[in-house]
Amino acid sequence: MPVSPESHRLITRQTLWLGTVTAVEVLGAVAHVFVAARLLGLEGYGALAIIVATTTLIHGLIAIPGGDTLTTFATRSITEGRHQEAAAILRFSLAVSFGLSLVAYGAIALLTLTASGILKIDESHAGAVMLYGLVGIFLATRTETLAVLRLADRLRANLACSVADNATRLAVLGVAWFAGGDLLTVVSATVAGAAVGSVGMLVVAGIFARRAGLSEVFRSLSVRVPRDVVAFHAGTYGRTTIGVVTENVDTILVAQIAGTADVGLYRAARQIIDMTRRPFHLIRTSAQPVLSRQWFTGDGAALRGTLVRFATYSVLIAIVGFSVLAIFREPIAVLVLGPDFVDVAPLLLILIPGAFVASTSIFSGLPLATGRILPLIVSMLAGLVVTVLGIAWLVPLYLSTGAAWAKTTSSIVAVVVLVPFVVEIWRRSHRI
């Protein structure tokens, strides 16, 4: 299963750049959690977790990120020489993402003013909710601009924007650390960083659009795209909606059943696990444009070689990374979060198996790369059902520990459900 040297160099180069970005973002996230956990304490951190989960969920239910649509179908259009169509796909994706993010913010404002009690949000935190809701607007076009930089092979610009984002956030947190900040200050840091990073990404995406094959993007306002692009984008809405619900409904459900302290413990454990999984996400992100190109040009052998090679990398990295986390889970939890969060360590041990399975399944990006959205929707829906049922059953009995078991089980189920779809695509790759 040969992989062309050019494809291998492209994936490796983009993985290295995205890896550097991920390192910056992980270090920034660790510093953010380090300061926020100590400023807010266990109860305050739980309140922040509920705010983040609620606003993120509402944005996810309404907005539609277009990065995958752009990566898959702009690649196809550029490969086939239809540059005006590729530019229209970019305009379509940006317009839909930004427009719906404004609608989502309106929904957040309405719910905050009328149903904060149902959402378990204290009335004194209404201002923090409204402020944090702006993050969704600033991040609305982030996946599209990243897709442009990936197509242009200019991810170093993404690194510069990420550094600016995290530097801004940490600067605000630094002031809070010495001045005695509160929940509103911590939220302000996130909003400021998102604003700086996203504006920067829009600027550099415009600069490198021509190199990405999207030189026609500024010559028209048309957002008319082929029907299969619209269908895929609509399917993306289903996938991202289920994904956002899966990633956030657990926190909201735990808040309904258990106390704020248990929410803080569970969400803190989730954040450490999520930071650990970031390198594996970037491997899938780097491989997707190449997999799309190999699929649409009929190079099935190269596609299979790409999958095998980078799946091997993922497994080796996961074995080392998650072993270190399992062995040193307690000192890591105390170092990152503080002594009040020592009970996070047992939750990490429960969450690691699910994170390992999900992280090493690089093949989960194959349906997207080949223009198939339904397999991912089925997979994520299965994981969501297991999450909800698991939390409803286990959290009343075991609190945050039950939530951790529900989460790790849902991660494994989602991957298992996806396997038959991937096997079918693998078989078809022999015939393209």
Side-chain angles (χ1 to χ4, degrees):
M1 301 177 192
V3 181
S4 71
E6 180 183 357
S7 295
H8 183 265
R9 284 194 297 269
L10 177 61
I11 297 178
T12 302
R13 184 167 58 250
Q14 293 206 357
T15 300
L16 289 174
W17 278 115
L18 288 173
T20 307
V21 172
T22 298
V24 170
E25 292 179 348
V26 168
L27 289 174
V30 170
H32 186 278
V33 171
F34 181 92
V35 177
R38 287 164 173 79
L39 281 175
L40 303 177
L42 190 54
E43 293 284 343
Y45 198 79
L48 176 63
I50 296 172
I51 292 172
V52 172
T54 302
T55 55
T56 303
L57 178 61
I58 294 171
H59 270 287
L61 289 174
I62 296 174
I64 311 177
D68 290 326
T69 301
L70 184 60
T71 299
T72 300
F73 289 98
T75 298
R76 182 187 68 177
S77 300
I78 293 169
T79 301
E80 297 175 355
R82 301 195 301 273
H83 294 280
Q84 290 183 351
E85 180 182 281
I89 293 172
L90 173 57
R91 290 191 295 268
F92 169 80
S93 300
L94 288 172
V96 171
S97 294
F98 186 73
L100 290 179
S101 72
L102 296 178
V103 176
Y105 185 79
I108 290 171
L110 179 63
L111 288 173
T112 301
L113 296 174
T114 61
S116 59
I118 297 175
L119 298 173
K120 298 296 183 179
I121 296 174
D122 193 282
E123 291 184 2
S124 62
H125 297 154
V129 177
M130 298 288 287
L131 183 60
Y132 195 89
L134 294 174
V135 172
I137 296 177
F138 289 125
L139 297 183
T141 59
R142 188 69 72 93
T143 63
E144 290 85 357
T145 51
L146 178 58
V148 172
L149 296 181
R150 286 164 59 193
L151 292 172
D153 194 22
R154 283 296 180 268
L155 287 176
R156 68 189 68 180
N158 182 31
L159 174 61
C161 294
S162 179
V163 170
D165 180 333
N166 284 278
T168 302
R169 190 191 323 174
L170 294 181
V172 177
L173 283 176
V175 173
W177 179 263
F178 292 104
D182 56 8
L183 179 61
L184 195 61
T185 309
V186 173
V187 169
S188 299
T190 303
V191 174
V196 170
S198 295
V199 171
M201 287 288 283
L202 281 170
V203 172
V204 296
I207 293 173
F208 293 114
R210 179 180 295 276
R211 181 179 178 86
L214 299 163
S215 58
E216 305 289 330
V217 69
F218 300 113
R219 298 182 181 179
S220 171
L221 295 177
S222 173
V223 293
R224 185 175 182 179
V225 296
R227 290 183 179 180
D228 60 344
V229 176
V230 177
F232 182 87
H233 201 65
T236 298
Y237 171 74
R239 179 183 69 89
T240 55
T241 298
I242 296 171
V244 169
V245 172
T246 301
E247 290 299 309
N248 295 281
V249 75
D250 52 352
T251 301
I252 296 173
L253 289 176
V254 173
Q256 298 292 326
I257 300 171
T260 309
D262 282 291
V263 176
L265 285 174
Y266 172 68
R267 191 70 177 191
R270 274 278 317 277
Q271 284 193 292
I272 292 177
I273 289 294
D274 290 345
M275 286 187 285
T276 307
R277 290 180 56 182
R278 289 295 298 278
F280 307 97
H281 175 72
L282 76 89
I283 293 176
R284 283 195 292 270
T285 300
S286 301
Q288 185 181 333
V290 174
L291 291 173
S292 292
R293 189 176 301 115
Q294 291 167 341
W295 178 265
F296 289 120
T297 56
D299 196 348
L303 180 141
R304 294 190 298 276
T306 299
L307 281 174
V308 170
R309 180 184 295 270
F310 287 93
T312 303
Y313 293 163
S314 296
V315 171
L316 293 177
I317 295 171
I319 290 174
V320 175
F322 286 113
S323 295
V324 170
L325 181 59
I327 294 171
F328 299 104
R329 60 190 181 278
E330 185 168 321
I332 288 174
V334 173
L335 176 64
V336 174
L337 299 161
D340 291 344
F341 291 80
V342 66
D343 289 336
V344 163
L347 304 184
L348 291 176
L349 194 61
I350 296 171
L351 291 168
I352 284 174
F356 180 89
V357 172
S359 298
T360 55
S361 58
I362 188 175
F363 58 79
S364 63
L366 186 57
L368 275 181
T370 57
R372 291 161 173 77
I373 201 70
L374 181 60
L376 287 175
I377 292 177
V378 174
S379 167
M380 298 172 76
L381 188 58
L384 174 59
V385 170
V386 171
T387 296
V388 173
L389 294 178
I391 288 176
W393 175 31
L394 296 174
V395 171
L397 299 174
Y398 306 108
L399 301 177
S400 57
T401 301
W405 277 114
K407 180 62 180 177
T408 201
T409 303
S410 70
S411 298
I412 295 171
V413 168
V415 172
V416 171
V417 169
L418 191 62
V419 169
F421 296 102
V422 174
V423 170
E424 176 58 26
I425 296 174
W426 181 279
R427 289 174 177 171
R428 288 192 61 185
S429 73
H430 289 273
R431 302 192 296 271
I432 60 174

